[in-house]
Amino acid sequence: MHNIRFDFVCQRHVPLYEHLCNQYLERSEFNISIGAESELQTSKIRYFIEAFAPQAQLESLADDIASDFLLSVWLLDTHIQRIEQHSGQRKPFNIKPLHSGLPLNFCQDCQPKFGDNQHPSFGNINLQCHHCMGHEKLSRDEKSLTQTDIAAMANRLLSHKSLPLPILGITLWLTPPAAILSSTIQPSTISQNADEQLTNSSQTNASMTKTIKYQRPRILVCNPNSLNSHFIVNDSQVLALSSIEKPLLRVRPSSEHPSLLAPLYDIQFAENRLLVILTEVLRQKGINWLHVTSDIEPHTNQEALLNEPLRLASINQHWLPITTLSDGSISLPTNVTCLHDEHHYQDDQHTFKVQSTKTDINWQVSDNGAKSSTSALTLPPVLASSCAEDSNTITNDITTSLCALNAAVLRCDPNKNHHKAQFVKHAAVLYFSQQNACQIVTLDSQSNPELFFQLPTLPTSGYEICHSLSESPQKSLLDKFKQLFPAEYNQLLDLHIQADDGALSQLMAVATLIIGAYPVETAQRVTVTELADKFIALAMSHHGNNAPRIDFPLTKGAAHRSLNWCKTLGTLMSFKLAGETNLAKLAFAFHDSFADYLSHWVEHLDQNIGVKQLVIAGSEFANPVLTERVQLRIGKNFPLVVNPLLDLDGVNIAIGGLYLKQRRR
């Protein structure tokens, strides 16, 4: 007889693992106990199952656990060890699911049956599974589908080149849709007939130029075995795609791919029973992937928002949601004093409302156009300003960055109870966002905030950008560039920048045109986001760590430091004029040099205030090259801080507002 403990170390709570622990607790022949422990410094969750049984039975139990505990994107490590005595409990976990039913749509027990074309139950979307209870998560429309219905869907997709799936809120396409419209356009103004939409796309583009916003193409992979033939993915990305969460990951297509022509794609494996069956039918017909567009209308209910796919970025060896769209909660952190009961933050698409209690912080996410329980509340368009300024109050222009800083450093120690106020000190944040100002903000030994650096936004037109360059010391470079590369110069003149384009994305978009990385005949019709994606994809394709030096000189204004972007663009022009044709090297050099400059700036801050915690936050860190170079250039001397329980740009901003040193009106 032996006592054995099975450990699952996770970045955050995994409801499936809690459910499985409860199931194993019912297996009385093993004398099982279960538990969950939190690691104080890292916020990691350690689930464990302890069993007492003969070795042969324990080996069988180990095989069952290995089969049942499916890979989660939040799983960090597993252990099996002999123990002297049990420390767990013999009562089940109290699981609070966000949706009805259990955590999964399907599992390793039912998916090979309804999703394998060789199995007798293939296509039975209603196949019952007592392991995951996935059949209980089907909508009424999904339950009515037969294998014949799904096969007919596949045939319609093949014949019509598109397949609307209103029950999932998406449309599938064999080829890239003619126009991907932003959620700001009411679906009622767009033809519901796919063929008609393709025919009228040019008219739609012409009439809605101001409301069209580029969205990164989304791909549903039908044949996972072909993944490496079409996309550049590493092992960790393959594991994440295969996990129970079925996230969307940003990757680039294989070089010189004949049909995947966009610079970057968001790719995903089938995440529900209908898509599992449909993609298997299509895989048999030789279809390796499909294009996906979202058809969720702004007035849909909260459930549609909660079912949006999880978009992840790899930060500091953690997978983090770029923006969390599901409701949730964390234990109330104990290392910093919570100052407010509630707070809310709103970006272009979503509203994030948080409330603190004596034990937890809870949040709800709602679509700005959705009818939900929060729609009746009067929410502000930006960070809630229910606080009046006092002598220690921060200014509005750094509020978002400070919220990101506060949220990142929060940790929970159930054994500690501070009797006096605890505030963040000796800290800095690199907050680079596509939604808000890109800034470096610090907190000194007295928790006093200061804006050290803010990345400037560029003029709204290429003409104004060129005018600014001609009025700067870069005029001679611009004149030579105009003479030797007239096509690229004209591309730059035609560029239009929207007010909501992120400052760093703006700079990368202009850099893309300067180095000549976008086809001349189409550049005037592309957006900042698409140009920035092209620049990032080029940098991702660079092999090696050696690259030219791009200048990112600081300018000192009356209030804070900024960037002399004319000099930065002038450096790129000089390399172009010198005959540099390796565009991937130049794009990589931009990222590497920027990270190196950031490193010098952080060292300067460390000498002044003593940086003990350096936070990275914001949606721009979904850029894998920027993140990698920042980790390499800065992370060795200043360990980078993220909160593994939160996201990069959304819920974290709302939660950070609970800790702002402001008082109520």
Side-chain angles (χ1 to χ4, degrees):
M1 302 288 284
H2 304 281
N3 272 320
I4 297 296
R5 172 166 155 153
F6 302 86
D7 286 316
F8 298 87
V9 183
C10 302
Q11 179 177 321
R12 57 176 69 188
H13 285 286
V14 180
L16 172 67
Y17 291 2
E18 297 176 0
H19 166 66
L20 289 172
C21 285
N22 288 350
Q23 283 193 332
Y24 274 85
L25 196 59
E26 299 174 2
R27 300 178 64 166
S28 57
E29 70 271 24
F30 294 105
N31 188 19
I32 284 178
S33 58
I34 62 174
E37 300 171 343
S38 297
E39 295 186 8
L40 304 181
Q41 297 301 319
T42 62
S43 296
K44 294 176 183 176
I45 305 296
R46 182 185 298 269
Y47 296 105
F48 62 86
I49 295 177
E50 299 166 326
F52 181 68
Q55 182 171 340
Q57 289 185 329
L58 288 173
E59 290 175 355
S60 175
L61 178 66
D63 291 339
D64 291 342
I65 289 177
S67 175
D68 289 339
F69 277 74
L70 300 181
L71 177 66
S72 168
V73 76
W74 312 125
L75 180 64
L76 301 176
D77 201 1
T78 60
H79 302 288
I80 301 177
Q81 59 183 328
R82 186 189 299 269
I83 58 175
E84 294 298 325
Q85 59 183 13
H86 288 203
S87 60
Q89 62 187 30
R90 288 181 168 81
K91 63 178 182 178
F93 293 127
N94 181 22
I95 303 174
K96 299 178 181 179
L98 296 176
H99 308 283
S100 59
L102 291 168
L104 293 185
N105 293 291
F106 55 84
C107 68
Q108 87 294 339
D109 186 73
C110 58
Q111 191 272 339
K113 300 173 184 176
F114 71 78
D116 185 345
N117 67 82
Q118 299 298 313
H119 197 278
S121 296
F122 174 62
N124 181 7
I125 196 172
N126 290 292
L127 182 72
Q128 295 191 7
C129 180
H130 71 278
H131 289 282
C132 66
M133 307 297 287
H135 58 282
E136 293 189 353
K137 295 197 70 176
L138 296 171
S139 66
R140 180 181 302 177
D141 290 333
E142 288 174 294
K143 289 179 180 178
S144 67
L145 295 174
T146 65
Q147 181 181 359
T148 303
D149 294 330
I150 299 175
M153 289 180 180
N155 290 331
R156 179 182 176 184
L157 175 61
L158 293 173
S159 60
H160 289 76
K161 309 302 181 186
S162 67
L163 176 67
L165 292 174
I167 57 178
L168 299 180
I170 60 175
T171 296
L172 304 178
W173 309 75
L174 278 184
T175 56
I180 301 177
L181 303 181
S182 75
S183 59
T184 60
I185 302 176
Q186 294 290 339
S188 60
T189 65
I190 306 170
S191 170
Q192 297 302 310
N193 182 286
D195 295 331
E196 190 179 4
Q197 180 177 343
L198 291 171
T199 303
N200 297 331
S201 62
S202 60
Q203 299 174 3
T204 303
N205 284 334
S207 63
M208 296 184 177
T209 302
K210 294 184 178 180
T211 53
I212 290 178
K213 185 178 179 67
Y214 173 80
Q215 292 182 349
R216 187 172 299 107
R218 176 177 164 188
I219 293 288
L220 173 63
V221 177
C222 299
N223 184 2
N225 292 329
S226 69
L227 183 66
N228 287 295
S229 301
H230 304 291
F231 298 97
I232 308 298
V233 291
N234 57 38
D235 291 344
S236 65
Q237 289 173 318
V238 173
L239 290 175
L241 289 167
S242 305
S243 68
I244 58 178
E245 288 81 11
K246 298 296 182 290
L248 278 171
L249 298 185
R250 185 181 307 182
V251 301
R252 66 184 181 93
S254 300
S255 300
E256 308 299 328
H257 197 284
S259 54
L260 293 171
L261 305 180
L264 296 175
Y265 288 87
D266 287 331
I267 66 171
Q268 183 184 31
F269 289 174
E271 62 174 331
N272 56 61
R273 289 189 171 202
L274 173 54
L275 291 181
V276 167
I277 299 170
L278 184 59
T279 54
E280 174 63 7
V281 173
L282 292 167
R283 185 195 66 80
Q284 290 178 269
K285 299 178 182 293
I287 305 300
N288 290 320
W289 75 86
L290 298 169
H291 296 267
V292 182
T293 54
S294 176
D295 300 330
I296 295 177
E297 300 181 6
H299 61 272
T300 51
N301 60 26
Q302 186 72 1
E303 188 69 18
L305 176 66
L306 294 175
N307 287 329
E308 281 284 282
L310 182 68
R311 296 175 185 269
L312 295 182
S314 180
I315 307 290
N316 202 18
Q317 299 181 331
H318 290 92
W319 286 110
L320 288 181
I322 299 172
T323 299
T324 296
L325 298 181
S326 58
D327 299 346
S329 67
I330 59 172
S331 298
L332 185 69
T334 53
N335 64 323
V336 184
T337 301
C338 187
L339 300 176
H340 309 294
D341 297 330
E342 65 177 49
H343 195 257
H344 32 279
Y345 162 70
Q346 182 173 306
D347 63 19
D348 290 343
Q349 295 179 301
H350 306 105
T351 295
F352 308 88
K353 180 182 178 183
V354 299
Q355 293 179 314
S356 64
T357 68
K358 292 182 178 180
T359 58
D360 301 289
I361 293 177
N362 304 294
W363 66 81
Q364 296 84 40
V365 184
S366 60
D367 189 280
N368 288 345
K371 292 181 179 178
S372 68
S373 60
T374 61
S375 61
L377 296 171
T378 303
L379 298 178
V382 290
L383 282 163
S385 56
S386 60
C387 308
E389 295 187 3
D390 58 24
S391 58
N392 293 320
T393 299
I394 50 111
T395 55
N396 289 334
D397 57 348
I398 60 173
T399 295
T400 308
S401 296
L402 279 178
C403 286
L405 193 162
N406 286 336
V409 302
L410 297 178
R411 297 295 185 266
C412 185
D413 184 349
N415 299 317
K416 281 190 176 182
N417 183 16
H418 295 303
H419 297 287
K420 62 178 181 178
Q422 301 289 317
F423 302 112
V424 183
K425 302 175 182 180
H426 299 292
V429 59
L430 308 180
Y431 178 69
F432 296 119
S433 173
Q434 295 170 325
Q435 297 274 353
N436 302 298
C438 297
Q439 299 176 332
I440 301 176
V441 173
T442 64
L443 289 171
D444 63 16
S445 60
Q446 303 300 315
S447 299
N448 294 320
E450 182 178 356
L451 174 61
F452 172 77
F453 169 82
Q454 180 167 313
L455 195 64
T457 56
L458 300 186
T460 57
S461 72
Y463 176 83
E464 293 175 277
I465 292 172
C466 290
H467 178 72
S468 296
L469 287 167
S470 66
E471 295 292 317
S472 76
Q474 316 307 313
K475 182 181 186 305
S476 60
L477 284 172
L478 180 66
D479 291 340
K480 292 178 183 178
F481 182 81
K482 177 180 179 181
Q483 180 181 2
L484 294 179
F485 303 103
E488 285 83 352
Y489 179 77
N490 287 330
Q491 282 182 320
L492 184 54
L493 288 178
D494 290 333
L495 178 66
H496 180 71
I497 293 177
Q498 301 289 341
D500 58 351
D501 290 324
L504 187 57
S505 294
Q506 293 174 14
L507 195 60
M508 290 192 291
V510 177
T512 305
L513 297 181
I514 287 176
I515 66 176
Y518 214 89
V520 173
E521 63 275 10
T522 59
Q524 64 270 24
R525 295 193 298 273
V526 296
T527 65
V528 163
T529 303
E530 188 173 3
L531 288 169
D533 270 10
K534 178 65 177 179
F535 198 69
I536 294 168
L538 277 172
M540 293 169 69
S541 68
H542 177 69
H543 300 290
N545 292 317
N546 296 324
R549 178 92 168 167
I550 308 297
D551 290 334
F552 287 87
L554 288 177
T555 62
K556 185 65 173 75
H560 61 268
R561 296 164 185 81
S562 188
L563 177 71
N564 181 352
W565 56 268
C566 288
K567 178 64 173 176
T568 302
L569 298 180
T571 307
L572 288 169
M573 285 184 186
S574 66
F575 282 112
K576 180 74 173 176
L577 292 169
E580 179 59 70
T581 58
N582 189 336
L583 305 187
K585 180 188 290 187
L586 289 177
F588 176 82
F590 178 100
H591 287 81
D592 186 58
S593 297
F594 184 50
D596 191 38
Y597 273 89
L598 288 175
S599 176
H600 290 304
W601 301 341
V602 172
E603 289 176 0
H604 170 77
L605 292 173
D606 183 46
Q607 293 175 0
N608 289 339
I609 66 167
V611 177
K612 296 181 180 178
Q613 299 182 95
L614 179 62
V615 169
I616 58 173
S619 54
E620 289 287 11
F621 280 106
N623 175 348
V625 186
L626 176 64
T627 303
E628 177 193 43
R629 302 321 293 175
V630 166
Q631 289 176 176
L632 181 67
R633 292 288 191 179
I634 308 176
K636 292 180 180 179
N637 297 323
F638 301 92
L640 305 177
V641 177
V642 295
N643 192 327
L645 303 180
L646 301 177
D647 55 10
L648 273 177
D649 217 349
V651 170
N652 67 324
I653 306 300
I655 288 179
L658 297 174
Y659 295 83
L660 289 177
K661 294 178 65 177
Q662 296 175 320
R663 59 179 172 83
R664 301 284 186 185
R665 288 189 187 275

